[in-house]
């Protein structure tokens, strides 16, 4: 299944963030909330089981100057293999001149899944972005398939963060220099001008990025432990 | 080739011997205790941090813009402790290199450049630069393991010799990698916070 969806949010003269373009294509169904306010709330609903092997999904999001968007998931995503063994892919591209919070629910990389995920964000000088990714390596008792997930964020074309994480299929999952045998890995990226103290514990850290912004990372054996760390930022 | 050999030699006075690449913290936590766990650590480090560093060394050797590479490597190194370790080793290598191999491109590097960029500029041939960088990504932690854990040097050397350093160096020449290692980032940050005696700077 190939699908592309598009969402455009801009500020109206009354100071409300308004959804100007909303183009859903199954399984990428965008559900806006009918309430006027400074922040537009849209839920991203997977209206068909996705991603399956062979799927290519693309979501484009544009948020204009002064506008704010809260884009949320409603359920965990299960990455599943397709009938042919073909890989699946997803691309989410943000162009932000206002403010975006992108908070999907956790992603479970099931056995034999083979997926490539890319999130790209281009921010202008004052734009803000908060985005979270929580990966679960396999369902209970299941070894994960393979996933390569990439996040690239730039501000006015200059790189802020570019990280790829590859899980499954290599001995690096168990390595103390890879995923250290942890089942859940979460990151929260905050691109704004709020200074946050560098902090950390045994399996988590909050660090300032070189060119501005903050990254929180947590690893653990369950989703609750990891999301508790990310929620606290 | 001779430059690559000199840079990879543990007797090269670039100050690399004070960095363990996360091994000291991993050993302190009991994550690396013997040869099998060291092999796993080095394998994971080679496939993540090693590939990343080697890719940037290859790009610098190809003559790509050093300021752009510096910013791109910063963006791929979220942990400040890892950025500081890379730049400290770059500064140490640059100090020795300015005497041995002065050049205009070397002079164009900032005072504390990321180490892979220094290696790329000095070696000048992408695959050799990548190979040097990938090897240094595991040889430093391996020798640290001998010192910290009292492992058999022959056994540790055999582990290093069997790692797929050449394959990783070849892959590093294909495109600029962006592979991260969350565990290495967390180990590096925890190492900085650790109180008490530390033998290594990272």
């Amino acid at each position: 299944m190939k699908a592309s969806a598009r969402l455009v949010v801009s500020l109206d003269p009354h100071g409300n963030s308004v959804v100007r373009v909303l183009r859903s294509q199954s399984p990428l169904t965008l559900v806006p909330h009918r309430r006027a306010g400074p922040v537009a709330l849209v839920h991203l609903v997977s209206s068909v089981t996705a991603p399956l092997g062979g799927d290519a999904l693309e979501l484009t999001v544009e948020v204009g100057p002064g506008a704010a968007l809260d884009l949320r998931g409603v359920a965990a995503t299960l990455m599943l293999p397709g009938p042919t063994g073909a890989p699946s892919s997803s691309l989410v591209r943000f162009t932000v001149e206002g403010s975006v919070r992108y908070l999907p629910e956790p992603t479970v990389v099931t056995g034999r899944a083979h997926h490539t995920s890319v999130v790209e964000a281009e921010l202008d000088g004052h734009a803000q972005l908060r985005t979270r990714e929580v990966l679960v390596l396999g369902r209970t008792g299941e070894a994960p398939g393979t996933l390569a997930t990439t996040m690239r964020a730039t501000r006015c074309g200059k790189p802020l963060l570019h990280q790829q994480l590859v899980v499954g299929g290599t001995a690096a999952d168990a390595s103390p220099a890879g995923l250290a045998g942890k089942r859940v890995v979460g990151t929260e990226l905050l691109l704004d001008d709020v200074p946050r103290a560098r902090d950390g514990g045994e399996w988590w850290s909050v660090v300032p990025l070189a060119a501005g912004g903050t990254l929180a990372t947590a690893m653990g054996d369950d989703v609750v432990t990891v999301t508790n760390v990310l929620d606290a930022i | 080739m001779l430059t690559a050999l000199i840079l990879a030699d543990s007797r090269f006075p670039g100050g690399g011997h004070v960095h363990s690449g996360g091994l000291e913290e991993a050993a302190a936590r009991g994550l690396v205790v013997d040869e099998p766990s060291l092999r796993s650590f080095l394998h994971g480090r080679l496939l993540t941090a090693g590939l990343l560093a080697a890719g940037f060394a290859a790009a610098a050797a190809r003559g790509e813009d050093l300021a752009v590479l510096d910013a791109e490597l910063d963006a791929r190194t979220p942990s400040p402790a890892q950025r500081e370790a890379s730049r400290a080793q770059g500064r140490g290598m640059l100090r020795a290199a300015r005497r041995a191999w002065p050049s205009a491109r070397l002079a164009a590097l900032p005072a504390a450049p990321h180490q892979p960029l220094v290696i790329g500029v000095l070696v000048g041939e992408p695959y050799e630069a990548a190979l040097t960088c990938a090897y240094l990504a595991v040889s430093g932690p391996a020798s640290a393991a001998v010192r910290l854990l009292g492992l058999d040097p022959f056994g540790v050397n055999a582990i290093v010799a069997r790692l797929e350093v050449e394959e990783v160096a070849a892959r590093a020449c294909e495109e600029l990698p962006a592979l991260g290692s969350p565990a290495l980032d967390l180990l590096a940050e925890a190492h900085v916070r650790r109180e008490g005696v530390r033998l290594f700077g990272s």
Side-chain angles (χ1 to χ4, degrees):
Chain A
M1 185 173 272
K2 296 202 187 324
S4 75
R6 183 159 175 252
L7 177 63
V8 177
V9 175
S10 61
L11 195 67
D12 77 1
H14 309 291
N16 295 321
S17 293
V18 182
V19 175
R20 298 285 182 200
V21 177
L22 185 91
R23 199 180 70 207
S24 296
Q25 190 174 17
S26 191
L28 296 170
T29 299
L30 296 159
V31 181
H33 284 242
R34 305 280 177 211
R35 58 149 203 217
V39 182
L41 173 63
V42 178
H43 280 101
L44 179 58
V45 178
S46 185
S47 48
V48 176
T49 301
L52 298 179
D55 288 355
L57 312 175
E58 198 174 320
L59 171 65
T60 306
V61 179
E62 293 163 40
V63 176
L69 167 69
D70 221 343
L71 181 60
R72 293 174 176 270
V74 292
T77 299
L78 278 181
M79 286 176 176
L80 295 162
T84 64
S88 53
S89 68
S90 61
L91 169 63
V92 183
R93 192 181 287 127
F94 292 97
T95 305
V96 190
E97 294 172 276
S99 164
V100 171
R101 282 156 55 97
Y102 174 51
L103 300 171
E105 294 295 309
T107 294
V108 184
V109 188
T110 69
R112 299 191 296 118
H114 182 20
H115 188 84
T116 304
S117 163
V118 176
V119 176
E120 291 176 354
E122 161 61 16
L123 281 67
D124 84 344
H126 300 288
Q128 299 185 355
L129 174 71
R130 177 178 187 135
T131 176
R132 171 179 294 192
E133 181 175 54
V134 176
L135 300 173
V136 182
L137 277 64
R139 290 164 288 197
T140 305
E142 179 187 48
T146 59
L147 166 68
T149 175
T150 305
M151 170 82 211
R152 180 174 171 88
T154 53
R155 191 182 289 284
C156 304
K158 299 267 190 327
L160 298 173
L161 182 76
H162 191 159
Q163 285 276 278
Q164 185 183 53
L165 186 63
V166 175
V167 306
T170 71
D173 287 3
S175 169
L179 294 173
K182 300 292 182 192
R183 270 193 71 230
V184 184
V185 187
T187 54
E188 185 117 354
L189 173 64
L190 299 102
L191 299 176
D192 52 30
D193 44 20
V194 178
R196 293 178 188 84
R198 185 176 168 188
D199 199 2
E202 190 175 21
W203 288 111
W204 64 276
S205 73
V206 177
V207 293
L209 300 173
T214 305
L215 183 73
T217 304
M219 303 173 73
D221 298 318
D222 61 86
V223 170
V224 174
T225 306
V226 167
T227 52
N228 279 349
V229 172
L230 304 182
D231 286 342
I233 310 304
Chain B
M1 187 67 176
L2 179 61
T3 310
L5 287 173
I6 293 173
L7 295 178
D9 188 339
S10 65
R11 288 160 292 191
F12 173 73
H17 64 285
V18 303
H19 292 272
S20 82
L23 193 279
E24 182 168 42
E25 178 66 23
R29 292 194 196 181
L31 298 171
V32 175
V33 293
D34 53 14
E35 287 185 19
S37 52
L38 176 65
R39 182 184 297 112
S40 171
F41 180 90
L42 295 178
H43 181 68
R45 192 168 205 286
L46 178 64
L47 292 181
T48 56
L51 177 66
L52 180 68
F56 276 77
R62 277 194 300 270
E64 291 183 22
D65 187 306
L66 294 171
V68 170
L69 290 177
D70 192 77
E72 290 288 347
L73 189 46
D74 261 353
R76 287 159 171 83
T77 317
S79 154
Q82 299 258 58
R83 291 197 295 272
E84 284 154 21
S86 173
R87 290 187 182 280
Q89 292 176 83
R91 186 174 58 232
M93 192 169 262
L94 189 58
R95 196 182 299 134
R98 282 194 167 131
R99 285 279 291 279
W101 305 283
S103 74
R105 194 157 158 80
L106 199 63
L109 284 166
H114 282 293
Q115 189 190 32
L117 304 193
V118 186
I119 292 173
V121 168
L122 290 174
V123 175
E125 198 284 316
Y127 176 73
E128 284 179 15
L131 191 62
T132 306
C133 223
Y135 171 71
L136 284 171
V138 291
S139 66
S143 94
V146 172
R147 281 191 269 172
L148 289 167
L149 298 167
L151 298 183
D152 170 21
F154 291 141
V156 170
N157 185 61
I159 291 170
V160 173
R162 286 181 197 140
L163 289 169
E164 60 276 58
V165 179
E166 286 140 322
E167 289 90 327
V168 165
R171 270 174 59 202
C173 295
E174 291 166 9
E175 59 173 353
L176 215 48
L179 269 173
S181 167
L184 278 180
D185 286 349
L186 297 185
L187 291 173
E189 290 299 311
H191 187 261
V192 170
R193 289 193 308 272
R194 185 171 283 278
E195 290 173 2
V197 177
R198 288 177 302 170
L199 289 179
F200 292 90
S202 71

